[in-house]
Each structure stands twice: as C-alpha cells, then as structure tokens.
Amino acid sequence: MLDINLIRENPDIVRDSLEKRGDVEKLKMLDELIEYDKNWRQSLTRLNDLRHRKNMITSEIAELKKKRKNTKEKIEEVDDIAQKIDVLTGKVEKYRENTDNILLRLPNLLHDSVPMGKNEKDNVEIRVWGKQPKFDFKPKSHLEIASDLGLIESERAAKAVGAGFFYLKNELVLLDLAIQRFAISFLMKKDFTLVEPPYMVNRKAYEGMIGDPFDFAEASYKIEDSELYLIPTAEYPLGSMFIDEIFELQDLPVKLVGVSACFRREVGTHGKYMKGLFRTHQFNKIEQFIVCTPEQSWDFLEELQRNSEELYQELGLHHRVVSLCSGDMTAKAAKAYDIEVWMADGEFRESGSNSNCTDYQARRLNIRFREKLGQAPAGFVHTLNNTALATSRTMIAILEQFQQRDGSVVIPKVLRPFMGGIERIG
RNA sequence: GCGGGGUUGCCCUAGCCUGGUAGGGGGCAGGCCUGCUAAGCCUGUGGUCUUUACGGGCCGCGCGGGUUCAAAUCCCGCACCCCGCGCCA
C-alpha cells in the first residue's frame, strides 16, 4: 500500500510510476482516489464540527445535571445534531471506503533503475552463467526422463486429485529433499534463521502480502468453513509473523529462510508453459525473507540475489538473470530480478524471483521500527523476498541439463551428501 | 469443545461494580534548578483533519454492533492470549 500523504503531496510521482508500468486502469483509479480523498477530508471537517458542537452541549448537560437544572431543551438540541451527524457519517465512511479500496489496489512505486517495458519480453538480461549443455543425442524433457525412470505418476495423480498434481517417487523424492537440504545449509551458514511456517494463513495476512486484493480470489486455495488459506509461498506466513510489531533497530535485519510446500491455483495461466513440473498446484520451496530498515533494503536486494546465483552456480546449472521491466513487475515490488534456468527445449524459464517490496507490505501489515528505545516508531520496515530454490523447477533443470544418452541423470556433486551419496539416477 | 481470567497510548498499570474531560509510573525528548560519587523539578509523548500551525477540532481503551444527551465503563456478538478440564497424532 502506498502512503496516502505521498499521493496528496506528490501525485505526479505516483502517476509517473503508474505510467511506467503501463497500467491505464490504475491511472484512472488514481484520479478517482484523489477526488474521493478530497471529498473525504472536506466532509470529515464538517463532521468534526458537528461532533464538536454535540460534545459541547453534552458537557453542558452534565453541568446542568450537577446543578439539578432542566436539561430537556439541550437534549432536544443535541438530538437534532445527532441526526445530522448520522447522515454525514455515512457519507464520510463511503468516501473513506472508496479511497481505501483504491489505495489497496495501487501498485508499489517503481525504483528508478527498473527498465521500461511492456511485458516479459522486455525484461533486461543482466548476466548469463555457464554454458548451454550440448547433447550428442536428442535430449528428453524432464517428464519423459522421470517417467522412463519410474519416478513420477501424473495420470494417477489426475485420478486422485486432478490436473497439476504429481506423485514423486524414489530418487526424485530424494532429489527434492536434497535440494531443500542443500539450500537450507547454504543459507544457515549465512546467518539466516530457519523457519518452518504454518501452511495456512488468515485473510488479513494473505491480503496484506499479496498486493492487489483483486488477485486474491484467483490466487488462493481457501479452506472450507474457515477463514484460512493455503499459502502460495512461505513469504506469506514469514511476513505476516510480524503483523503490528515494532522492531528495535538492533533487532534488524531479520533474515529468515522458510521451508514449505506452496499451493497455487494457477487460474488465468492458460496458454502459458504448462509442461510437467513447471506449473503445478503444489511444490516445495526454500524462501529467503528479510525485514530491514529503509536504508538497508537496496543492499539486501543485491545480497539476496548473490545468494540465489551462488546456489545455481554450485549446482552447475546454466542460467541467466533478468531485471524485470516495468510492465512485468508485480504490484507489491519496487524492483525485482528473476533467475531463469535453461531447459532442454532451448528456453530460459523463470525459476526464482527476487523482490524488494520496500514499505508496501509493511504498511498494510503495520510492521514498524523504532530508531531509539522508548520512542514512538520512526516508520515502516522494508521487506524483501527471494526464492532460494523451488524444488520443482530446479528438478526440471537438473533432469534436463544433466541427462545422459542412456537415460540416466547425473546428480550435482553438492547434492550427493544430501541423498545418501547417490551419484546418478538410472 | 467446556469453565475461569485477560486485551488501555512506545512499555507497564489504574479506572469498569456505581456511565459524565483516560489518571499514574517507566522510557524517550526538551527545558529549569543545582554542583560532586548525584539528585530534583517542569513540559511534552498515538492517529487524523484543519493548505502551513502559535493554535483549534475530532478520533482513539482488542474488533463489530446496541442502549444513552453522554460508553474504557452497561448490553449483545466475535477474535486473540493465558490458566484449568476434556478430546487428540
């Protein structure tokens, strides 16, 4: 959520950012918001005037009562004002509701360094690491590899659950776990605190983290008969751990590594790449999450990025880093990098995403920090989240990049200690 | 699931029975007095509106309703926390 004061004082900054995102609809909403806010403030002033008059008379009544004098006239007068207050209150609330609804839907301000662009085609490649694997045979897709090795059941999953779910078996399960253990060890060495969060959050937490609440219904799995939702990423419960908290300066930054399953409905992704494990309703992910001061967040964005890239490098996976362009940026992010890993059909595809959400989530969730002990909070913290490794997409890359002519797959050295020394599957 | 206790500003706490300006302490900030291991005193302290505020107003006691001229206080509903009991892998 943006600071309403920023919108009042510098609407052009907000407008420029929305134009850069190419979000015509939100530009219109911004103008509406400014109008609603103006009306809200005007009618609030009038309402407060009426309340003031009512309070004055009320205390006069208290005085009269003390002196045992007649209060009938005053009470009639106050009844009259009370009616006007009722009417005006309804108006004020309506204006406020309208501003709030729009405010919640406006995306974060973009950082100056975000490249201009319309969609993912305009993302800017920053680095490519490793060499494209060369095969002297026709490489298979991960789904073929895993099926041929008896490591995956998709048709049976469709019977038991539905499309987009999978049973993993034997070495593929071990690989999944090894990827998680590897990423966890790596990040714990870098002073991240390991957290297994709840796999469900309540509505306030979900809406606070997501950005535009409009996306909410499409993104979330709701638990029937409760206000609980399956998490789409550990980021959600990690961030909402700190709802309404005030951090002391010396307790920042908070560096967390979350380990969890993630659940996504993937509504509205028709036409996108769907093959095999790439887009599933459930997958496991190791997530980096940071809470810090506004001064620290841009350095941490780069630090988180280095961590992710090191993980891919240690795995030996050919990948590239792109800076997301203005049109491809999620609502909550001020700036984001994606890591795209190479797949055997010759494409780089997103396997992780690193975002600085600045104070956008913190303002919604009321997470603040204090500059000095005993003082009132100085402002909102900044939050960042970055995939360390999502097991499904990392497994795709491992299976496809390290496949052999005989159908077997060589396991990256760094993972072997975490899977009982297995060097090769198949 | 049942019973009991609780939720007050940056923190702690009083006020609730018996409705009438949210009081005290701590911390923090500023000021005053003083001068020797220091201490004392005063003022301020949340959000918001008033274009700016010397100022003024409104809101704010877990959340949402209700009663009332007036609600932290009374009534109803809900959430969360603590204790005990029950159930449970």
Side-chain angles (χ1 to χ4, degrees), chain A residues 15-245:
Chain A
R15 195 170 284 123
D16 287 351
S17 180
L18 286 174
E19 271 167 13
K20 203 172 167 189
R21 281 182 188 262
D23 205 328
V24 184
E25 185 199 4
K26 300 275 163 76
L27 273 166
K28 258 175 68 188
M29 287 167 54
L30 175 65
D31 290 330
E32 285 170 30
L33 181 148
I34 291 169
E35 191 60 25
Y36 284 135
D37 180 56
K38 208 175 102 193
N39 291 335
W40 175 71
R41 286 188 290 166
Q42 281 173 357
S43 37
L44 182 65
T45 302
R46 278 189 289 138
L47 176 62
N48 284 343
D49 262 8
L50 287 175
R51 282 173 171 164
H52 177 54
R53 275 167 59 198
K54 187 183 171 201
N55 287 345
M56 298 295 284
I57 299 171
T58 292
S59 44
E60 280 173 35
I61 291 171
E63 279 299 309
L64 292 174
K65 287 256 182 192
K66 234 188 257 173
K67 293 176 187 161
R68 299 179 177 280
K69 290 189 177 167
N70 192 311
T71 58
K72 187 159 172 277
E73 236 173 78
K74 291 291 175 190
I75 287 175
E76 275 168 12
E77 196 180 344
V78 95
D79 274 341
D80 188 50
I81 296 175
Q83 273 186 23
K84 288 181 184 156
I85 287 179
D86 268 355
V87 174
L88 198 50
T89 299
K91 259 175 129 176
V92 167
E93 276 170 3
K94 193 72 204 162
Y95 285 136
R96 184 52 192 258
E97 212 176 291
N98 289 336
T99 25
D100 282 352
N101 285 342
I102 294 175
L103 197 56
L104 284 171
R105 295 200 54 196
L106 290 180
N108 202 350
L109 283 186
L110 293 172
H111 191 256
D112 286 341
S113 64
V114 172
M116 274 293 272
K118 270 174 104 165
N119 53 41
E120 68 273 9
K121 291 189 182 70
D122 297 323
N123 292 341
V124 174
E125 183 178 285
I126 300 180
R127 282 185 284 281
V128 181
W129 187 91
K131 288 222 171 75
Q132 182 177 324
K134 292 274 188 284
F135 302 105
D136 53 1
F137 57 93
K138 187 170 181 294
K140 298 194 273 192
S141 78
H142 69 280
L143 197 56
E144 292 173 87
I145 299 166
S147 299
D148 292 350
L149 293 170
L151 301 176
I152 195 164
E153 302 272 6
S154 53
E155 273 152 40
R156 283 174 171 155
K159 285 193 298 183
V161 200
F165 291 91
F166 296 90
Y167 291 91
L168 307 185
K169 292 159 69 180
N170 294 321
E171 289 91 339
L172 198 53
V173 181
L174 297 179
L175 181 61
D176 189 309
L177 293 168
I179 289 166
Q180 297 183 59
R181 274 302 274 116
F182 165 63
I184 289 167
S185 301
F186 178 91
L187 289 166
M188 285 185 83
K189 274 183 222 147
K190 294 192 185 277
D191 280 333
F192 280 72
T193 301
L194 180 62
V195 181
E196 182 182 277
Y199 286 9
M200 300 171 206
V201 292
N202 60 33
R203 189 175 184 114
K204 182 184 176 183
Y206 205 115
E207 287 196 331
M209 297 298 292
I210 195 174
D212 188 342
F214 206 72
D215 301 333
F216 179 79
E218 298 203 328
S220 63
Y221 278 113
K222 187 180 186 203
I223 306 294
E224 201 172 7
D225 294 331
S226 79
E227 272 297 314
L228 297 178
Y229 302 83
L230 289 176
I231 57 171
T233 161
E235 175 201 344
Y236 283 42
L238 291 183
S240 37
M241 276 171 90
F242 304 116
I243 286 176
D244 290 331
E245 289 195 26

Side-chain angles (χ1 to χ4, degrees), chain A residues 144-410:
Chain A
E144 292 173 87
I145 299 166
S147 299
D148 292 350
L149 293 170
L151 301 176
I152 195 164
E153 302 272 6
S154 53
E155 273 152 40
R156 283 174 171 155
K159 285 193 298 183
V161 200
F165 291 91
F166 296 90
Y167 291 91
L168 307 185
K169 292 159 69 180
N170 294 321
E171 289 91 339
L172 198 53
V173 181
L174 297 179
L175 181 61
D176 189 309
L177 293 168
I179 289 166
Q180 297 183 59
R181 274 302 274 116
F182 165 63
I184 289 167
S185 301
F186 178 91
L187 289 166
M188 285 185 83
K189 274 183 222 147
K190 294 192 185 277
D191 280 333
F192 280 72
T193 301
L194 180 62
V195 181
E196 182 182 277
Y199 286 9
M200 300 171 206
V201 292
N202 60 33
R203 189 175 184 114
K204 182 184 176 183
Y206 205 115
E207 287 196 331
M209 297 298 292
I210 195 174
D212 188 342
F214 206 72
D215 301 333
F216 179 79
E218 298 203 328
S220 63
Y221 278 113
K222 187 180 186 203
I223 306 294
E224 201 172 7
D225 294 331
S226 79
E227 272 297 314
L228 297 178
Y229 302 83
L230 289 176
I231 57 171
T233 161
E235 175 201 344
Y236 283 42
L238 291 183
S240 37
M241 276 171 90
F242 304 116
I243 286 176
D244 290 331
E245 289 195 26
I246 299 163
F247 284 95
E248 305 298 338
L249 222 45
Q250 74 263 16
D251 295 329
L252 294 175
V254 175
K255 298 165 84 171
L256 304 177
V257 48
V259 44
S260 82
C262 305
F263 303 91
R264 301 193 180 179
R265 292 182 64 194
E266 303 289 7
V267 173
T269 55
H270 312 292
K272 296 198 178 162
Y273 187 79
M274 292 293 288
K275 212 169 199 179
L277 295 174
F278 188 75
R279 211 177 283 285
T280 59
H281 291 305
Q282 177 191 323
F283 58 94
N284 299 314
K285 184 156 63 72
I286 307 301
E287 179 82 356
Q288 307 174 73
F289 190 85
I290 287 186
V291 181
C292 66
T293 64
E295 288 73 37
Q296 299 167 322
S297 72
W298 293 106
D299 286 340
F300 276 123
L301 182 70
E302 302 303 323
E303 182 179 322
L304 289 178
Q305 187 58 28
R306 283 195 295 277
N307 289 345
S308 297
E309 291 180 37
E310 274 181 54
L311 285 164
Y312 283 86
Q313 288 165 15
E314 290 203 22
L315 289 169
L317 291 171
H318 181 41
H319 67 276
R320 66 171 190 168
V321 180
V322 298
S323 182
L324 291 195
C325 75
S326 53
D328 199 28
M329 190 82 58
T330 53
K332 64 192 178 183
K335 180 175 183 177
Y337 299 113
D338 273 5
I339 286 190
E340 298 182 341
V341 76
W342 187 86
M343 296 181 185
D345 61 355
E347 297 287 326
F348 284 104
R349 287 196 186 84
E350 178 192 345
S351 60
S353 192
N354 179 19
S355 308
N356 185 357
C357 296
T358 61
D359 59 1
Y360 192 82
Q361 292 173 323
R363 180 170 285 108
R364 289 174 181 230
L365 298 174
N366 193 30
I367 309 174
R368 295 172 292 172
F369 70 98
R370 200 196 315 277
E371 298 232 296
K372 211 169 161 191
L373 209 69
Q375 289 186 341
F380 294 101
V381 297
H382 279 198
T383 56
L384 301 96
N385 65 89
N386 182 16
T387 317
L389 291 171
T391 60
S392 50
R393 291 182 178 182
T394 307
M395 290 193 296
I396 294 176
I398 289 172
L399 292 177
E400 296 191 1
Q401 290 195 27
F402 302 139
Q403 61 178 304
Q404 307 297 310
R405 172 181 281 279
D406 63 1
S408 68
V409 175
V410 174

